[in-house]
Each structure stands twice: as C-alpha cells, then as structure tokens.
C-alpha cells in the first residue's frame, strides 16, 4: 500500500471533519452495544457466557478467575515478571507524586479545607482482543491502589486459556478480583453487577469501539474515567527529525486497532515524503500488517506537510491527540504553544511505546479529541474531594449581611433565618 504525503492546504472540509471530529467507529456500534448492555443487566452471567461464545469464541467456565492470578505470576518467565515489576515500580512512583494532601487554612477568620478520600469499588478494564494488555492492568490498578481504593476488580476478555501475563500483572499490581469478561458486556457487568461480578462505582480503562461505546452507555448509572478508545498519535516533526523514527511511531500506534488514527505533520514536504516512504518500507513483513493498513487507510490518518511550523502546530493543537510526539528542534518552545494533548513525548529518544509500558506516566488517555477537556488517568481519577469549613461567631458576623442579602434575593427566607438565629440573643 502507499501512504501519500498530503499538503495541509489541500485538505477539504470532509477530510477535516474526519480528522478533527474522528470517532473511531464508536457511534456506529452504539445501538448494538445498548442491546448488549441491557441483556447483561437483565440476564447477568448467562448473557456474559453467551456473548463470550459469540464474540470471543470461548465457552466460559469460571467467570471469576481470581485464583488463577497468583499461579500465573509464579509460572511466567523470570524476565517477563521482572519487566512487570519494573513497570509497576515506575508507574507507582510517578503516581505517588500525585497524591494530594488534605489541607485546612484560615482565610479571614473562616477555617476552610479539602479532604481527599478514595472511591471504594473500582472496575478496571484491561483489553485483550486483537492483542493482550497486561500493561493496561498496571496502568489502571496501580494508580487506584496508590489512591487507596479498597476493591479493584479487573475484567479482561475470556480465552480458552487466560493470558498468563495479564493474570500475572493482576496479581503483581494488587487487583482484588479478576473476571474473564470482555467488550461492552464486561462494562455492563461492572456497572450493574451479575451473580458473579460485583457492581462497582467507577469504571476505568481503555478498549476498542465496543468497550468505549459500553462506557458511554453506562455513564450516568456509574462513574467512568473518560472515553479511552482506539489509539491515536500525532507526530509533529521538522527537518531535524529522523523520518524512520517518525514512521516507526506511526506504525506502532497503527498496530493497535484497525480504527486507530495516526498522523504526522511537518513543515517540510521532503520530510513528509521520507516519512511516507519509511512507513511503506516498515510495513513489509509485519505480523499485524492488515490491522496497520486498515488504520493507515482511515480518513483520520495521514502524513501532512504545512507551509510553516506555526501551521503544523495549529494542526496538532486542533487534532488534540491522545499521544503527541514532538520530534523537532526547540521542542519545548513548540510545546509551549500546545494545550490539547493527552500525553506528550519530547525528542527523538522518547518513543510513545516507552510511555505505553514503563516511563511511569499513564497510558490510559482520552481519544477522539477528548484531550480538549480531559487529562489521562491519574490518582485524582480515583479520589473525591470534600470541602470542610468552620466559622467562629465573629467570622459569621462578618458574612452575615452577604448571606442574608443573597438569601433574600433568592427568596429563601429560611436560609437568612438560619444565620440570623445565631445572633438572636443580641436583638
Ligand atoms: P478489547 O478488549 O478492547 O476488545 C475485545 C472485545 O471486543 C472482545 O472481548 C469482544 O467481546 C468485543 N467484540 C469484538 N467483536 C465484537 C462485535 N462484533 N460485537 C460486539 N463486541 C465485540 O481488545 P482489542 O480489540 O484488542 O482493543 C484494544 C483497544 O484498546 C485498541 O483499540 C487500543 O488502541 C485501545 N487502547 C487504548 C488506550 C487508551 O488509553 N486510549 C490504551 C491502550 C489500548
């Protein structure tokens, strides 16, 4: 296949919509997913088993596979166990730095504070369809545990033999329950509960279009992190970049899913042509060439050249990618001009894959331009903050007129009275 470099100036409105309003196929499966969710709600485990047979081709025995996790941890190769432990350590360290402290401060006689408490029961989805994702177990369970969540249940698609590295990661990261359930049916089970699956209060984690549509469907009945669907990368490059590195990063994201979106944008037409060539050359002999080709073919993917770096930066900003890689001279000055990106990778030696597994940052990130309003998974996702206040008599006296005036303006006499009552002995 060929992936032609295109001039940004020639892109028409339909293509712009495909790029900037991309939805990775999620909308198209919403109706099917609504049906799946309601079947699980009504029929519980029986529906989970039926969908496992239909979509995963597996006759599920035990849905709860928690007891297999420790054995899997012992059974996997030493080097894989060590890699999981290193990833966990780095992710834990980065997320421990995010833990907020409760605070109290007195401001004009008013004692004010915030206290942070973890959600009690969390469901984490670890994908496992086209590929397996023990890394997503690490990225969801470790921050939840750092936040202090008591019960973390992982759901991951069933298989004749559950993937041992995913199970091992569940044990190593400290998951309390592991369920063999995938797709939108797993999300429904975590949201509403079944005979086997305990209902959770917050569902986090990435997945394909069915998982993502499932999260959109249950949102409201249960809290979710955000929509973390098929992967995306935008590489912003100038003539100092290595086109082979840029191409390698595009190919890496494209191999996640046929619905993945990958773009490179540069201010140099020769660089764009070299990246296109390197992508084509890199496709040769890849195991997942069909998935990669489908992703590259998408109208939401492409290799583009702009008339200036400013135009390229504006494109990247509007694209609001899940992953933004900047492979250009003076990357920090470019970063200063970007607000909308899930996770940023600076320089030639920071491939997105390093963050996918082991830099310590979280790889669960908003897709479909969700980065315009949301950041990725963090310790905050698992915490709720209550506010606390205490006034002494003088502080209330200072506020009295403000409160009673606003209460009167709202026509809420009882509110004003509740303040005045504290001073009744003076009048
Ligand atoms: P998955 O676990 O997300 O999906 C597999 C499940 O999809 C199966 O268990 C099955 O139940 C369901 N399914 C398959 N075909 C179906 C159909 N026709 N109808 C209904 N349900 C069906 O695993 P995956 O497919 O490998 O996808 C993983 C996804 O996670 C990729 O898109 C990847 O890009 C994404 N990802 C995103 C992030 C992020 O933070 N945004 C991070 C990591 C991975």
């Amino acid at each position: 296949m060929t992936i032609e470099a295109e001039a940004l100036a020639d892109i028409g409105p339909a293509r712009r919509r495909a790029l900037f309003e991309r939805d990775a196929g999620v909308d198209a499966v919403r109706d099917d997913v609504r049906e799946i969710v309601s079947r699980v709600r009504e029929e519980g485990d029986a529906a989970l088993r039926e969908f496992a047979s239909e979509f995963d081709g597996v006759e599920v025995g035990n849905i709860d596979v928690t007891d297999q996790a420790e054995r899997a941890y012992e059974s996997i190769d030493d080097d894989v166990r060590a890699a999981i432990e290193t990833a966990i350590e780095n992710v834990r360290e980065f997320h421990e730095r995010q833990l907020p402290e409760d605070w109290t401060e007195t401001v004009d006689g008013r004692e004010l504070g915030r206290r942070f408490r973890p959600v009690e029961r969390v469901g984490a989805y670890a994908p496992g369809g086209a590929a397996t994702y023990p890394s997503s177990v690490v990225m969801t369970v470790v921050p939840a545990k750092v936040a202090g969540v008591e019960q973390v249940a992982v759901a991951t698609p069933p298989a004749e033999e559950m993937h041992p590295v995913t199970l091992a990661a569940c044990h190593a990261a400290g998951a309390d329950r592991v369920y063999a359930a995938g797709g939108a049916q797993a999300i429904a089970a975590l949201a509403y509960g079944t005979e086997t699956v305990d209902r959770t209060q917050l569902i986090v984690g990435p997945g394909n279009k069915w998982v993502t549509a499932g999260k959109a469907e249950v949102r409201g009945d249960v809290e979710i992190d955000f929509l973390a669907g098929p992967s995306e990368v935008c590489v912003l490059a100038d003539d100092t970049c290595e086109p082979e590195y840029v191409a390698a990063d595009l190919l890496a994201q494209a191999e996640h899913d046929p619905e993945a979106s990958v773009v490179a944008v540069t201010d140099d037409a020769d660089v764009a042509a070299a990246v296109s060539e390197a992508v084509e050359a890199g496709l040769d002999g890849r195991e997942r060439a069909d998935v990669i080709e489908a992703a590259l073919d998408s109208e939401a993917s492409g290799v583009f050249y702009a008339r200036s770096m400013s135009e390229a930066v504006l494109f990247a900003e509007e694209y609001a990618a899940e992953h933004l890689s900047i492979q250009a001279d003076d990357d920090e000055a470019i970063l200063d001009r970007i607000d909308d990106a899930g996770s940023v990778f600076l320089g030639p030696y920071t491939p997105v894959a390093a963050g996918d597994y082991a830099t310590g940052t979280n790889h669960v990130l908003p897709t479909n331009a969700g980065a315009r309003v949301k950041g990725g998974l963090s310790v905050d996702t698992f915490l709720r903050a209550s506010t606390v206040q205490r006034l002494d008599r003088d502080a209330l006296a200072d506020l009295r007129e403000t409160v009673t005036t606003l209460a009167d303006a709202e026509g809420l006499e009882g509110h004003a009275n509740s303040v005045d009552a504290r001073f009744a002995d003076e009048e």
Side-chain angles (χ1 to χ4, degrees):
M1 82 171 277
T2 53
I3 174 162
E4 296 286 341
E6 300 169 71
L8 270 189
D10 295 343
I11 289 179
R15 186 71 188 285
R16 290 182 69 81
R17 263 198 309 281
L19 285 161
F20 300 136
E21 295 168 31
R22 61 197 179 277
D23 89 318
V26 174
D27 271 357
V29 300
R30 287 293 295 263
D31 288 346
D32 290 349
V33 161
R34 194 164 301 128
E35 173 67 20
I36 293 170
V37 169
S38 84
R39 289 275 313 279
V40 173
R41 236 180 139 166
E42 282 160 24
E43 298 165 33
D45 287 351
L48 285 183
R49 291 204 158 82
E50 196 183 316
F51 290 130
S53 172
E54 185 176 349
F55 300 132
D56 302 287
V58 179
E59 302 311 315
V60 172
N62 289 337
I63 292 171
D64 186 334
V65 293
T66 312
D67 61 350
Q68 296 177 26
E70 189 173 351
R71 266 180 280 137
Y73 182 79
E74 302 302 337
S75 76
I76 58 172
D77 289 347
D78 290 347
D79 55 344
V80 179
R81 195 181 314 109
I84 291 175
E85 292 296 353
T86 302
I88 287 178
E89 203 177 303
N90 291 355
V91 170
R92 184 177 293 131
E93 235 169 62
F94 182 71
H95 288 77
E96 274 172 355
R97 300 190 60 185
Q98 300 167 15
L99 263 176
E101 296 215 352
D102 294 355
W103 59 266
T104 310
E105 240 175 69
T106 302
V107 182
D108 295 337
R110 307 189 299 278
E111 194 182 305
L112 305 174
R114 286 186 99 200
R115 56 211 287 276
F116 300 90
R117 296 295 178 268
V119 171
E120 273 173 32
R121 297 187 313 280
V122 166
Y125 187 80
T132 47
Y133 290 86
S135 55
S136 295
V137 172
V138 173
M139 296 294 172
T140 52
V141 178
V142 171
K145 285 294 173 186
V146 167
V149 176
E150 241 170 60
Q151 278 291 325
V152 183
V154 174
T156 192
E160 286 306 337
E161 192 139 337
M162 294 298 286
H163 197 270
V165 183
T166 302
L167 290 179
C170 288
H171 175 73
D176 301 284
R177 282 268 164 281
V178 188
Y179 300 121
Q185 57 276 21
I187 301 300
L190 293 169
Y192 303 110
T194 69
E195 297 89 323
T196 306
V197 178
D198 288 333
R199 185 179 189 151
T200 61
Q201 298 163 307
L202 164 68
I203 298 175
V204 301
N208 64 14
K209 59 187 173 188
W210 290 285
V211 172
T212 306
K215 284 169 72 180
E217 186 61 27
V218 302
R219 175 160 51 185
D221 289 339
V222 64
E223 207 51 49
I224 67 163
D225 46 0
F226 43 81
L227 301 183
S231 301
E232 308 167 344
V233 66
C234 173
V235 186
L236 189 50
D238 69 6
D239 62 355
T240 65
C241 80
E242 286 289 345
E244 283 78 18
Y245 297 176
V246 175
D249 290 343
L250 298 184
L251 290 164
Q253 285 306 304
E255 76 179 348
H256 275 295
D257 195 308
E259 306 279 1
S261 308
V262 300
V263 300
V265 58
T266 167
D267 60 345
D268 185 311
D270 292 338
V271 169
V275 170
S276 299
E277 258 173 50
V279 167
E280 276 172 52
L283 255 173
D284 250 4
R286 295 256 176 167
E287 264 176 38
R288 301 166 70 84
D290 53 337
V291 175
I292 299 174
E293 284 184 24
L296 291 172
D297 242 0
S298 153
E299 286 284 286
S301 297
V303 175
F304 302 103
Y305 53 94
R307 285 161 295 200
S308 66
M309 206 54 190
S310 291
E311 192 187 13
V313 170
L314 280 176
F315 174 93
E317 177 75 342
E318 198 163 353
Y319 194 82
E322 179 196 7
H323 304 101
L324 173 67
S325 165
I326 306 179
Q327 300 183 37
D329 199 27
D330 212 357
D331 47 27
E332 299 209 354
I334 291 174
L335 181 59
D336 275 348
R337 293 152 66 192
I338 300 272
D339 294 323
D340 301 342
S343 197
V344 180
F345 298 76
L346 295 176
Y349 297 108
T350 322
V352 172
D356 284 343
Y357 294 107
T359 59
T361 63
N362 207 294
H363 85 196
V364 183
L365 299 160
T367 52
N368 297 349
R372 288 180 194 142
V373 289
K374 274 269 181 187
L377 205 68
S378 69
V379 164
D380 297 347
T381 311
F382 301 96
L383 297 172
R384 63 224 142 96
S386 332
T387 48
V388 184
Q389 55 243 283
R390 179 200 297 280
L391 304 181
D392 59 20
R393 194 179 162 94
D394 287 348
L396 182 61
D398 283 348
L399 277 186
R400 182 176 179 185
E401 191 166 339
T402 303
V403 176
T404 53
T405 302
L406 288 173
D408 287 345
E410 291 189 352
L412 297 176
E413 187 190 20
H415 282 61
N417 284 348
S418 74
V419 175
D420 290 337
R422 266 73 181 190
F423 300 97
D425 58 343
E426 283 178 4
E427 283 143 21

